[in-house]
Amino acid sequence: MTLYPIKFTPLFKYRIWGGNKLKTVLNKNYTEENIGESWEISDVKGDETLVSEGPLAGKSLRDLIKDFKEEVVGAHVYKTFGEEFPLLIKFIDAKTPLSIQVHPSNEIAKQRHNSFGKNEMWYVMEAEKDAELIVGFNQKVDKASYIKALETGKILEVLNNDTVSKGDTYYIPTGRIHAIGAGVMLAEIQQTSDITYRIYDYDRVDATTGKTRELHTDLAVDVIDYSFDSNYKTNYTIAENATNTLVHSPYFKTNILNIQGDIKKDFTDLDSFVIYICVEGSLDLVCSGKTYTVAKGETIFLPAAINDIVLKASNADVLEVYY
């Protein structure tokens, strides 16, 4: 069988802080309330997304890798990860703030949870007036002063708040304290991991359980990066009809493209799958004479065996992700 550009059926996740923008802005199809996350491409155990259309419909990523191996992910990725897929792609809508949290490194996550760590990045798609993200500390702290701030209820006073707008981008390495604030909708690219250490949750009660959510204070203390930075935001420039570097890390590489017209892409020298996430407008992806439309809030997966495509749009912003 010849592989083709693949869309997956998203998985929708209830969150205590979730809103309705994934439905009203991104046209996601669900009926539940407080949906905070749309998992677009996932190989998390028990939460695998399935191919939505074409001859491979109903298959999971794991199925595809098992059947087609490096044709799906590339020789290097297959050699490194086997049948596991290394990335998880999400859209997130925060009606109220997320908990203050931190993620463990690859080494600690493997040791404690037999999981990948969770290095991730955010691309802000929409932000209400004065909406904020929490990223890192706003002053120098150490383990002792952090614990004191936590115990005395002053943890928010030592955290860095950035007011954000559309297009703002942040790389969140493991160990960096962070939280998405109320009124922010974003695209998240991360390692395949669902390990989060919750540090502070505003003493909220989850209506579905009638209880506060579990905190992971002790687990978090040893993984936090206590260093201070004056700027946590990713600086980048964007030229139209060009591939602009956004975040390149050891775990994934993300570029941003503003497409006005046609862009030809040749991936002959790229030993990886490619994922396109449409964050504004709508684009057509042309492959082997067939056109695949990707609207705002949609994600499409390009198997590594595909080398030549054309991207067409009157005006679209697209994230391009690969390993």
Side-chain angles (χ1 to χ4, degrees):
M1 181 189 291
T2 303
L3 288 167
Y4 55 91
I6 292 168
K7 288 184 179 180
F8 291 87
T9 302
L11 298 172
F12 304 117
K13 298 291 185 178
Y14 163 84
R15 296 292 183 256
I16 189 174
W17 39 262
N20 62 5
K21 286 181 185 172
L22 298 178
K23 182 194 295 182
T24 60
V25 179
L26 300 187
N27 295 309
K28 298 295 179 185
N29 186 21
Y30 57 84
T31 55
E32 302 87 346
E33 295 296 314
N34 299 103
I35 296 298
E37 300 186 6
S38 174
W39 289 24
E40 297 289 298
I41 299 180
S42 169
D43 184 43
V44 173
K45 191 168 183 179
D47 282 308
E48 297 91 349
T49 48
L50 304 179
V51 178
S52 63
E53 52 197 34
L56 296 170
K59 286 188 175 288
S60 68
L61 262 172
R62 192 69 63 100
D63 294 332
L64 296 181
I65 299 169
K66 200 174 283 186
D67 291 346
F68 298 98
K69 300 180 172 56
E70 61 267 13
E71 288 184 70
V72 174
V73 292
H76 175 62
V77 176
Y78 187 72
K79 185 178 178 183
T80 306
F81 298 103
E83 291 172 2
E84 294 185 87
F85 188 70
L87 300 184
L88 172 57
I89 309 294
K90 301 177 181 177
F91 294 115
I92 296 178
D93 168 33
K95 184 178 180 182
T96 58
L98 274 70
S99 63
I100 313 296
Q101 56 191 244
V102 70
H103 304 306
S105 66
N106 276 339
E107 295 74 23
I108 292 175
K110 180 73 176 171
Q111 177 190 333
R112 292 180 179 175
H113 313 284
N114 195 29
S115 168
F116 291 125
K118 196 173 173 185
N119 291 273
E120 64 189 23
M121 67 160 280
W122 295 333
Y123 176 88
V124 176
M125 295 173 67
E126 287 201 355
E128 294 172 11
K129 189 176 183 296
D130 300 325
E132 294 182 330
L133 298 175
I134 290 175
V135 184
F137 293 101
N138 61 19
Q139 57 192 268
K140 288 183 178 176
V141 298
D142 56 22
K143 191 186 286 191
S145 57
Y146 160 79
I147 292 170
K148 185 177 181 183
L150 200 59
E151 290 175 343
T152 56
K154 295 182 177 179
I155 186 64
L156 296 175
E157 295 177 19
V158 301
L159 299 178
N160 173 64
N161 289 266
D162 278 8
T163 302
V164 294
S165 56
K166 180 180 170 180
D168 284 350
T169 298
Y170 290 80
Y171 179 56
I172 314 289
T174 59
R176 182 169 292 169
I177 283 190
H178 60 279
I180 302 170
V184 176
M185 184 177 72
L186 54 77
E188 180 175 273
I189 296 145
Q190 59 160 95
Q191 289 177 274
T192 296
S193 169
D194 203 25
I195 307 295
T196 294
Y197 294 161
R198 203 177 289 124
I199 291 164
Y200 178 72
D201 198 32
Y202 305 94
D203 302 316
R204 288 183 287 200
V205 173
D206 188 336
T208 63
T209 63
K211 299 175 182 176
T212 56
R213 297 193 296 171
E214 182 184 4
L215 299 180
H216 310 96
T217 310
D218 293 340
L219 287 171
V221 165
D222 292 333
V223 307
I224 292 171
D225 176 358
Y226 293 100
S227 60
F228 162 70
D229 197 332
S230 58
N231 176 42
Y232 295 96
K233 188 159 71 169
T234 299
N235 296 314
Y236 68 96
T237 56
I238 181 165
E240 67 183 56
N241 295 332
T243 302
N244 307 278
T245 299
L246 198 54
V247 171
H248 282 201
S249 79
Y251 310 99
F252 52 79
K253 294 174 176 63
T254 303
N255 302 317
I256 185 163
L257 293 79
N258 173 245
I259 305 169
Q260 300 188 34
D262 296 7
I263 298 181
K264 290 183 179 179
K265 302 287 287 188
D266 180 354
F267 297 117
T268 305
D269 295 330
L270 181 69
D271 184 18
S272 172
F273 59 87
V274 179
I275 296 167
Y276 285 108
I277 307 165
C278 187
V279 292
E280 189 59 60
S282 177
L283 78 143
D284 288 336
L285 187 156
V286 183
C287 176
S288 301
K290 187 172 179 186
T291 299
Y292 302 80
T293 298
V294 188
K296 179 178 179 178
E298 285 194 315
T299 302
I300 195 163
F301 177 91
L302 211 60
I306 295 174
N307 289 328
D308 299 297
I309 61 165
V310 179
L311 303 173
K312 298 184 173 188
S314 57
N315 189 6
D317 292 331
V318 185
L319 302 182
E320 176 184 78
V321 184
Y322 49 91
Y323 186 77

